[in-house]
Amino acid sequence: MPLPSFLARRSFHYAWIVAGLTFLALLVAAGIRSAPGVFIVPLEQEFGWSRATISLAISINLVLYGLIGPFAATVMERIGIRRMMVFSLAVIALGVGLTTLMSASWQLVLLWGVVVGSGSGVIALVLGAIVVNRWFLEKRGLVLGILTASTATGQLVFLPMLASIADRFGWRTAALALTGAALLIIPAIAVFMRDRPADVGLRAFGDNSETVEVLQPKANSIASTLNALWLGMRNRDFWLLFGSFFICGASTNGLIGTHLIPACIDHGIPEVKAAGLLAIMGLFDFFGTTMSGWLSDQCNNRYLLFW
């Protein structure tokens, strides 16, 4: 018996399997994105690179992470979620793995900045939004909150572990551990991930209607993305949301997530303990993000964002 039918007979919707795989992919990608904070000081000590040089690679990574998201959404519409997830995780694993062989700063910029940044731009919040919109009609806010919280969970799970590995065995071993984590989940996604409920003969979770899903024609990825961005830029709400997320990303990912651990080391706090501070932030972030997702189903989102 096919797995979706087996689960359906036990009142368990396959959408939760898809959400779980998405959470897992987002978690690993978030753990990889948070890793540079652990690697900055070891790279300074081994290669003599300045913190500004290392930060350049991280900045390029974050810029590509943000810019690729809108285009990734339209590419997913053309080739499917599962293929894009497998491809992007493979790219991330390749980029992180090759950093163990680098000997010049431009290689760090290329590998961690361009390669890992491009791969992580696909495994981003846009993936969670697409999965929720396709697979859930009910509990969308809650599920999106949980998927968004994967960023905090990745930070919580990976940072103390990476700091401990880097402290005991070196940063290269920590990088290889990240590579292994990315490669480990690729088979599960390739086997069990599905693009749409119709692929397994189901409707979205909570959809009890008799309507048939109508697939939109596949449009040019770049043109449709630019058109959507142009429409958004003409809307005031787009800029309000853009500004909110920009400030949030600049402060959390750009400054605290990247430089808190090196700053702690500069002030005599051990790396593992500094990673624990970020992990505690991730713990509260997980509960806060999940709660905000649940609240978005219950109250006006404008007031929620303002609060």
Side-chain angles (χ1 to χ4, degrees):
M1 180 183 296
L3 180 59
S5 301
F6 175 81
L7 296 174
R9 293 183 62 177
R10 285 155 179 79
S11 301
F12 188 85
H13 201 285
Y14 199 78
W16 296 109
I17 299 292
V18 172
L21 291 170
T22 304
F23 181 89
L24 194 60
L26 291 171
L27 182 145
V28 172
I32 292 174
R33 285 201 314 276
S34 65
V38 175
F39 295 156
I40 286 178
V41 173
L43 291 176
E44 288 178 331
Q45 294 174 344
E46 178 172 338
F47 297 105
W49 299 336
S50 69
R51 192 160 299 180
T53 299
I54 301 171
S55 298
L56 173 63
I58 301 171
S59 298
I60 293 174
N61 179 291
L62 291 173
V63 168
L64 289 175
Y65 170 75
L67 291 179
I68 287 177
F71 296 94
T74 52
V75 173
M76 286 182 191
E77 293 290 341
R78 291 184 63 86
I79 70 174
I81 295 175
R82 178 172 58 176
R83 291 179 180 176
M84 281 295 289
M85 290 176 69
V86 170
F87 173 76
S88 59
L89 285 169
V91 169
I92 291 173
L94 177 66
V96 176
L98 288 177
T99 57
T100 61
L101 304 176
M102 64 185 179
S103 58
S105 60
W106 67 266
Q107 296 167 352
L108 177 67
V109 173
L110 174 63
L111 293 173
W112 201 274
V114 178
V115 178
V116 177
S118 300
S120 61
V122 178
I123 306 292
L125 294 181
V126 62
L127 172 63
I130 292 175
V131 167
V132 169
N133 285 328
R134 286 186 181 181
W135 283 88
F136 291 87
L137 192 62
E138 294 180 357
K139 302 185 183 299
R140 280 181 172 176
L142 175 62
V143 178
L144 186 58
I146 293 174
L147 294 181
T148 305
S150 62
T151 300
T153 309
Q155 181 174 300
L156 176 66
V157 171
F158 281 93
L159 275 179
M161 178 188 69
L162 289 175
S164 179
I165 294 174
D167 184 57
R168 296 182 61 185
F169 305 107
W171 68 269
R172 287 183 174 83
T173 304
L176 291 175
L178 289 174
T179 303
L183 292 175
L184 193 62
I185 64 173
I186 288 178
I189 292 173
V191 173
F192 296 109
M193 190 68 187
R194 295 293 182 271
D195 293 334
R196 300 177 183 275
D199 294 343
V200 290
L202 298 173
R203 297 182 183 278
F205 179 82
D207 184 3
N208 299 315
S209 66
E210 298 297 328
T211 58
V212 178
E213 181 183 14
V214 178
L215 299 181
Q216 298 297 324
K218 296 179 179 181
N220 180 276
S221 300
I222 296 178
S224 59
T225 300
L226 293 177
N227 182 57
L229 287 174
W230 173 245
L231 291 175
M233 291 170 63
R234 296 162 62 185
N235 186 288
R236 180 192 61 184
D237 292 341
F238 171 86
W239 289 108
L240 291 173
L241 290 170
F242 178 90
S244 301
F245 278 96
F246 181 87
I247 293 171
C248 181
S251 58
T252 54
N253 294 331
L255 296 177
I256 299 174
T258 301
H259 292 289
L260 180 62
I261 293 178
C264 287
I265 295 174
D266 291 343
H267 288 80
I269 301 175
E271 186 174 30
V272 176
K273 189 171 292 186
L277 295 176
L278 280 178
I280 292 174
M281 292 174 59
L283 176 64
F284 283 93
D285 191 337
F286 174 81
F287 288 110
T289 307
T290 304
M291 178 61 69
S292 69
W294 178 80
L295 286 172
S296 69
D297 286 329
Q298 315 297 322
C299 60
N300 191 308
N301 286 292
R302 293 180 301 163
Y303 300 141
L304 181 62
L305 179 60
F306 173 81
W307 177 73

